Amino acid sequence: MQTGTGNNSRSRLGGTSSNIVSRSQLFLSTQNLSNNSMERPELNVWISAEGRHYSGGYDGYSADVVVGTDKLFSDNFLAGLMLAYGHVDINDATDNAVANSPAVGAYFATKFAGDLILDGYVSYARPEYNLNGATFKSDRVSVSLAVSGEYRTGNLNIRPFASVSGYSESQPSYTGTGGAVAANDIKDYKASLGARFEMSSALGSTGMTPYMSGAVDYGHSKSTAKGTTNFTAPRLGFGMSGPVGEGYLSLDLDGGKVTSDTYDVGIRANYEFKF
């Protein structure tokens, strides 16, 4: 949801539609229906999909699809609703957990002086878990707030960003193959600060512009079952972007941490086009 709303905000409010924080994802929007990229329709629909691979304390993958629709209330403010569906399949040393999570949310974005954009959302999800031979559902509330900008100096385009996101989840007690398991309350928060650095000139005759991104992530997690953990870790990415055919293509690779002992790596391909 954070990836999709961030992409949509920058596309709708006059910035570039390229992603600021690298993610393994696909983003399409009816913002691009017009042949004139400067035109912005009052109503908009977008779809975002992304995937991640995890290794370390947990091994596995996740995949998410989000569909959103919003209204442009002014040149500098929009608000909308979104539906999402997520799938997670992870393992640790002893257990395998599979979760499918339908969710609904509301989001907004506003633009300030220059190219500074603030966006955020709140959502409610109802994950269904298959864990330790048991199946159960929980309640999850998520919130996110992000700010991003754009600054040009010489042959370099710098896009700084900062974001804070988190969720609170209540899992009921259940009886699995290992016996009774007590109810579990989870609170998880993450903050990220970084920038993407993009050259203003294309690479040879390819039309593609190389870039790299760097950020520092801080994560805090507290649960009834596993106690409290914190981590601070870098997130690095690199890739290239540019016009291809009738649209705009960006490709990149990024990696970092999602927990104190789990690493994630993603390959992102994003193609936005007029149709």
Side-chain angles (χ1 to χ4, degrees):
M1 285 184 168
Q2 188 179 52
T3 303
T5 54
N7 259 341
N8 182 64
S9 301
R10 194 147 270 284
S11 177
R12 290 278 276 158
L13 296 181
T16 61
S17 55
S18 300
N19 205 15
I20 293 177
V21 186
S22 296
R23 292 288 189 269
S24 304
Q25 57 104 18
L26 169 69
F27 176 77
L28 300 174
S29 169
T30 55
Q31 170 77 21
N32 297 314
L33 280 170
S34 170
N35 290 326
N36 183 351
S37 61
M38 297 302 292
E39 293 180 6
R40 288 183 289 172
E42 181 182 1
L43 299 175
N44 179 55
V45 177
W46 55 269
I47 181 171
S48 179
E50 66 177 272
R52 294 248 135 209
H53 173 74
Y54 307 101
S55 61
Y58 294 95
D59 296 290
Y61 71 93
S62 65
D64 300 272
V65 177
V66 186
V67 177
T69 180
D70 55 71
K71 180 179 179 180
L72 201 61
F73 290 91
S74 72
D75 288 342
N76 297 316
F77 181 81
L78 64 85
L81 300 173
M82 55 186 171
L83 297 174
Y85 192 85
H87 176 78
V88 178
D89 190 331
I90 56 174
N91 305 273
D92 61 12
T94 58
D95 300 310
N96 170 253
V98 177
N100 296 298
S101 306
V104 60
Y107 64 94
F108 80 95
T110 185
K111 183 178 180 181
F112 299 99
D115 195 32
L116 192 65
I117 294 177
L118 175 71
D119 64 81
Y121 71 83
V122 60
S123 69
Y124 170 77
R126 183 70 168 160
E128 181 178 46
Y129 290 89
N130 291 294
L131 175 63
N132 294 327
T135 298
F136 62 89
K137 293 183 178 181
S138 66
D139 298 285
R140 180 192 300 160
V141 176
S142 303
V143 295
S144 175
L145 197 63
V147 62
S148 62
E150 189 165 349
Y151 175 73
R152 292 183 180 273
T153 174
N155 293 324
L156 192 64
N157 185 28
I158 304 174
R159 299 181 190 172
F161 60 85
S163 65
V164 178
S165 60
Y167 70 88
S168 177
E169 182 172 339
S170 297
Q171 298 176 345
S173 59
Y174 65 92
T175 301
T177 54
V181 178
N184 186 28
D185 291 322
I186 304 171
K187 295 184 184 299
D188 190 279
Y189 303 94
K190 181 181 177 182
S192 184
L193 177 66
R196 175 171 136 164
F197 305 88
E198 180 178 307
M199 299 298 295
S200 58
S201 57
L203 189 64
S205 59
T206 63
M208 303 292 285
T209 304
Y211 59 85
M212 64 177 294
S213 62
V216 176
D217 293 343
Y218 170 77
H220 172 86
S221 181
K222 181 179 181 180
S223 71
T224 308
K226 295 189 175 183
T228 302
T229 60
N230 300 282
F231 75 90
T232 302
R235 178 168 295 276
L236 301 175
F238 63 91
M240 56 180 58
S241 62
V244 174
E246 296 299 319
Y248 188 88
L249 175 70
S250 61
L251 302 168
D252 65 36
L253 173 72
D254 78 286
K257 273 188 171 184
V258 289
T259 69
S260 59
D261 60 355
T262 303
Y263 297 86
D264 71 312
V265 175
I267 298 175
R268 168 180 174 262
N270 183 36
Y271 189 59
E272 302 169 38
F273 59 93
K274 300 179 178 65
F275 59 93

